[in-house]
Amino acid sequence: DAKTTQPPSMDCAEGRAANLPCNHSTISGNEYVYWYRQIHSQGPQYIIHGLKNNETNEMASLIITEDRKSSTLILPHATLRDTAVYYCIGTGYNFNKFYFGSGTKLNVKP
Amino acid sequence: NAGVTQTPKFQVLKTGQSMTLQCAQDMNHNSMYWYRQDPGMGLRLIYYSASEGTTDKGEVPNGYNVSRLNKREFSLRLESAAPSQTSVYFCASRPVQVNTGELFFGEGSRLTVL
């Protein structure tokens, strides 16, 4: 199963892009990378996922390096409501076990 | 749709007492999960069920048992609660797709063991 490594915390100015990095050097070739976030103590919320290609949806963009050893989640225009803990996750060898790790605490400041 | 529903939302136990956390989903998902989250920490997988009738251990299964009662329901039982099991417990479900499909979480059950 892929182990993911994320910085414990990051700051971002409101209105600027937030770029959250994740290292997943042990990820297997057919293992997806997922991003979730957790606001306060609510249940985690799905953001985006990808395999090889870059992905974009209404919430964020996901950039995956060509060797798939790392990825970056981009929130294009961060708002105060984006303050949360962001988790980068690999799906595991059987594509069913989701291990969350400690995540990155993103602080969006006015 | 209610999504993933957990009961109870709050519970206080004494050491040695037993209890069951209930989880139900109405999205016809095959896979269901139980996580725990200690203060200031990330989520840790306790058990998961890939489909009705199957369960498998996660990272921290000791002290817990699970039952996949049917496709909708997945319960987590603490037979003899310990203070170390004080935590917030999250249930999640996931659709049947093999390589993709996101997790949908409940609102959490906050358990305190005295």
Side-chain angles (χ1 to χ4, degrees):
Chain A
D1 297 346
K3 295 290 186 183
T4 60
T5 304
Q6 300 177 255
S9 66
M10 295 182 63
D11 291 336
C12 178
E14 188 177 19
R16 303 297 293 269
N19 297 287
L20 292 93
C22 178
N23 287 322
H24 34 78
S25 58
T26 61
I27 198 169
S28 62
N30 51 3
E31 187 176 350
Y32 280 73
V33 176
Y34 282 76
W35 284 83
Y36 286 78
R37 73 180 183 184
Q38 186 176 27
I39 298 173
H40 299 301
S41 54
Q42 299 174 16
Q45 173 191 23
Y46 166 81
I47 301 173
I48 198 168
H49 72 282
L51 182 62
K52 296 179 181 178
N53 301 319
N54 299 337
E55 302 287 345
T56 295
N57 62 20
E58 64 278 4
M59 290 183 67
S61 295
L62 175 61
I63 308 297
I64 303 175
T65 58
E66 191 170 343
D67 62 8
R68 299 205 339 114
K69 292 184 183 299
S70 65
S71 61
T72 300
L73 179 74
I74 301 172
L75 307 178
H77 305 287
T79 71
L80 297 178
R81 288 178 296 180
D82 292 322
T83 292
V85 178
Y86 288 77
Y87 297 97
C88 165
I89 304 157
T91 49
Y93 70 93
N94 66 353
F95 311 110
N96 229 344
K97 287 187 177 182
F98 286 69
Y99 296 108
F100 274 71
S102 299
T104 295
K105 176 67 165 50
L106 176 68
N107 299 300
V108 180
K109 300 184 175 182
Chain B
N1 281 344
V4 179
T5 303
Q6 294 182 230
T7 55
K9 289 185 170 43
F10 299 92
Q11 184 71 48
V12 178
L13 292 177
K14 295 180 180 178
T15 297
Q17 287 185 317
S18 63
M19 76 158 299
T20 299
L21 299 176
Q22 306 285 355
C23 176
Q25 52 92 9
D26 60 4
M27 297 173 283
N28 200 36
H29 289 171
N30 271 24
S31 299
M32 296 187 73
Y33 303 75
W34 276 107
Y35 289 89
R36 63 175 286 174
Q37 185 172 34
D38 299 336
M41 307 287 286
L43 282 77
R44 291 185 291 172
L45 180 63
I46 306 172
Y47 272 95
Y48 84 101
S49 170
S51 61
E52 184 179 352
T54 68
T55 62
D56 198 0
K57 296 178 180 178
E59 303 167 274
V60 288
N62 291 342
Y64 304 96
N65 289 305
V66 290
S67 296
R68 184 72 183 269
L69 304 170
N70 47 55
K71 192 170 186 178
R72 290 187 63 250
E73 299 172 291
F74 189 38
S75 64
L76 178 72
R77 183 161 179 84
L78 289 70
E79 290 291 351
S80 179
S84 60
Q85 294 178 303
T86 293
S87 192
V88 179
Y89 291 84
F90 289 100
C91 178
S93 69
R94 182 170 179 247
V96 74
Q97 294 94 318
V98 175
N99 289 350
T100 185
E102 69 208 65
L103 290 169
F104 291 80
F105 282 86
E107 295 181 350
S109 296
R110 285 149 181 80
L111 175 65
T112 299
V113 183
L114 303 175

